[in-house]
Amino acid sequence: MLDGEKRINIPAELRELSNLKEVKKVILTTRGEDILFIPYSEENLEEVKAYGIRAVDSKGRVMLPPLFVRMSSEWEVYLLNGEILATRHIF
């Protein structure tokens, strides 16, 4: 879920088990309809369609680009094969 500043929180326990452990910046891209958070590097940036490069703050929050905020404000973060993704809630 997004907070009032349009940030999504990636829980610490998921970050510890993922490729985002101790990462300070992420590339935002998509996999299907989900947001995929990739550790920032010039090499990774050349391999994906990037919708934004965002800082990860000390609490694990990432500001989403307006495109993703307009799509849905109800996102759920999950871990899959060591990668962090966010999916829209389906009601």
Side-chain angles (χ1 to χ4, degrees):
M1 180 169 291
L2 300 181
D3 66 12
E5 296 184 38
K6 308 301 184 207
R7 297 176 298 195
I8 192 165
N9 182 52
I10 302 171
E13 57 273 8
L14 293 184
R15 285 194 320 268
E16 286 296 316
L17 297 171
S18 76
N19 61 347
L20 297 185
K21 186 176 183 179
E22 301 182 29
V23 167
K24 301 293 182 203
K25 277 175 127 174
V26 292
I27 300 167
L28 300 176
T29 189
T30 57
R31 181 177 291 159
E33 293 186 5
D34 295 349
I35 300 171
L36 175 61
F37 299 84
I38 299 173
Y40 175 81
S41 74
E42 291 294 326
E43 186 176 289
N44 285 344
L45 190 56
E46 293 174 359
E47 297 176 0
V48 298
K49 182 175 181 177
Y51 291 96
I53 299 168
R54 297 291 194 260
V56 180
D57 71 13
S58 61
K59 295 182 180 180
R61 298 174 297 195
V62 176
M63 177 103 38
L64 292 183
L67 168 69
F68 296 134
V69 174
R70 283 193 303 269
M71 286 173 52
S72 175
S73 62
E74 300 295 325
W75 293 93
E76 183 176 337
V77 176
Y78 67 99
L79 178 71
L80 179 66
N81 298 326
E83 295 179 316
I84 298 288
L85 296 102
T87 190
R88 288 181 283 175
H89 285 280
I90 299 173
F91 297 100

